[in-house]
Amino acid sequence: MDAVLLRRNKKGPREVRAWFRERLSKPGIIIAPGAFDAFVALMIQQLGFEALYVSGAAFSSSLGLPDLGVFTLDELVRFTKYITDAVDIPVIVDTDTGFGETLNVVRTVREFESIGASAIQIEDQELPKKCGHLSGKHVVPADEMVKKIKAAVEARRDENFLIIARTDARGVYGLDEAIWRAQAYVEAGADIIFPEALESKEEFARFAREVKAPLLANMTEFGKTPYITAKEFEEMGYKIVIFPVTTFRVAMKAVRDALIELKEKGTQKDLLSRMITRQEQYEVIHYWDYENWDKDLNERVSKEFASKLRIREEK
């Protein structure tokens, strides 16, 4: 029971990472929803998803900041640790451009590996970076990204800590450039390739044919990519599909609707059917496990000290 109280996972990070690498070699696509806090991460795990994604866009929004690479490494590490402490499924972390140049990428790898993440994603945009589905972004020269990938691979202590290389070149120079860069990133040692903002199923299919590596697809909303199902991505050869901001957007729409109703009616009574119950909330966070552990500990300590007091009195 102490493992529950201290939020230590049943599996260690190395075991989770080894499982994740092996899983990538097996049939079937991994659906990784975005978790914008540890409670959502717990729900993702409890509902049976195999992995989750920490989105830089969702995290920056939760700080009240634009997705322009303005939060710090320490802020993202601290936030992600709440999630890695809560779950024991693989956690994929969006680290934008790696928080700087080659030497900064080394620190980024070490920090996220140390808190139990299973993979980090590094993109080839220039700073200030943008959402990959917005126009006006710029990418660094390919050799600069290759250096970052090589630095990341050499910096990791666990070979199963996965390095995901994202290329944003499709929206800047076209699909041919994105494919060429992806092939170079594979050669540099990237474990997974993430083509950002492709604009059709045909583009995704061609990318999968020409890039020989495990591939990750981004199924974000309101972007340049049409809505494609996980099954369709799987049939094209993709191994992971992320839904990075889906939970955040759905939740924030519900919050805004609730706030409007509170302002208009001055009561939450008509919102109850749209809420998870207290019982459901406590089940997600293992509330009663904590409470029962505390009760059991008190009983054990009381018995132990009662016995010691009797021995003392007898003396």
Side-chain angles (χ1 to χ4, degrees):
M1 193 67 71
D2 59 333
V4 172
L5 182 68
L6 297 174
R7 302 184 77 174
R8 290 198 295 265
N9 301 326
K10 291 177 287 185
K11 299 177 184 176
R14 284 184 174 270
E15 184 180 356
V16 175
R17 292 176 194 139
W19 176 88
F20 193 34
R21 183 181 283 279
E22 184 181 1
R23 173 65 181 83
L24 290 173
S25 66
K26 294 181 177 179
I29 195 163
I30 298 167
I31 298 175
F36 59 87
D37 64 20
F39 190 93
V40 174
L42 281 166
M43 287 198 292
I44 290 169
Q45 175 170 280
Q46 290 175 10
L47 288 170
F49 289 95
E50 295 179 288
L52 64 84
Y53 184 78
V54 175
S55 160
F59 178 59
S60 58
S61 289
S62 74
L63 298 176
L65 296 170
D67 182 23
L68 293 170
V70 294
F71 55 78
T72 67
L73 171 62
D74 287 347
E75 286 175 319
L76 185 59
V77 168
R78 183 166 60 250
F79 166 77
T80 303
K81 189 174 187 302
Y82 289 123
I83 291 175
T84 55
D85 281 351
V87 301
D88 57 7
I89 59 174
V91 175
I92 304 166
V93 187
D94 173 7
T95 65
D96 288 343
T97 61
F99 292 96
E101 300 306 321
T102 307
L103 292 176
N104 306 94
V105 168
V106 171
R107 176 82 188 281
T108 297
V109 168
R110 294 285 173 85
E111 289 291 323
F112 285 100
E113 187 176 1
S114 71
I115 63 167
S118 291
I120 62 167
Q121 162 202 317
I122 305 171
E123 65 198 50
D124 58 6
Q125 278 200 55
E126 288 183 359
L127 284 173
K129 57 90 61 189
K130 286 189 172 188
C131 167
H133 289 258
L134 295 180
S135 301
K137 60 187 178 179
H138 302 279
V139 293
V140 298
D143 62 332
E144 290 188 22
M145 182 63 172
V146 165
K147 285 191 292 185
K148 287 187 178 184
I149 294 168
K150 286 185 174 292
V153 170
E154 292 182 16
R156 64 186 174 189
R157 295 182 171 96
D158 181 354
E159 65 179 2
N160 291 318
F161 181 81
L162 301 180
I163 307 303
I164 302 171
R166 171 176 135 180
T167 180
D168 286 64
R170 165 62 183 90
V172 181
Y173 298 119
L175 185 60
D176 288 345
E177 175 74 9
I179 290 171
W180 178 82
R181 283 177 176 243
Q183 292 167 341
Y185 300 165
V186 172
E187 189 175 345
D191 300 292
I192 299 169
I193 296 295
F194 173 174
E196 178 64 311
L198 303 192
E199 298 185 9
S200 68
K201 284 182 66 175
E202 291 72 26
E203 289 191 357
F204 278 103
R206 181 187 164 197
F207 195 96
R209 287 194 302 269
E210 298 190 30
V211 179
K212 304 306 180 184
L215 300 177
L216 180 152
N218 179 10
M219 194 58 267
T220 193
E221 302 84 25
F222 316 115
K224 295 182 180 295
T225 299
Y227 294 101
I228 301 170
T229 68
K231 184 64 176 175
E232 289 172 319
F233 278 122
E234 180 182 352
E235 290 169 351
M236 288 186 281
Y238 288 76
K239 296 303 301 182
I240 305 170
V241 56
I242 59 171
F243 293 80
V245 197
T246 304
T247 58
F248 180 86
R249 290 185 171 124
V250 170
M252 293 308 108
K253 173 65 163 59
V255 168
R256 185 174 64 183
D257 290 346
L259 291 172
I260 291 170
E261 188 156 332
L262 279 176
K263 186 177 181 182
E264 291 175 349
K265 297 182 178 179
T267 177
Q268 80 278 47
K269 287 192 296 184
D270 293 336
L271 296 170
L272 296 179
S273 64
R274 288 184 264 166
M275 297 182 186
I276 62 168
T277 65
R278 185 187 298 270
Q279 169 88 10
E280 291 168 330
Q281 176 186 350
Y282 285 3
E283 286 173 356
V284 171
I285 59 176
H286 305 289
Y287 177 90
W288 290 283
D289 289 336
Y290 282 69
E291 195 171 65
N292 291 335
W293 179 87
D294 188 51
K295 180 181 178 181
D296 177 67
L297 178 63
N298 285 335
E299 290 175 354
R300 286 187 282 116
V301 170
S302 295
K303 288 179 181 178
E304 179 183 343
F305 272 80
S307 175
K308 288 183 177 181
L309 286 172
R310 283 196 303 271
I311 293 172
R312 183 177 182 185
E313 289 171 358
E314 289 171 358
K315 290 182 177 180

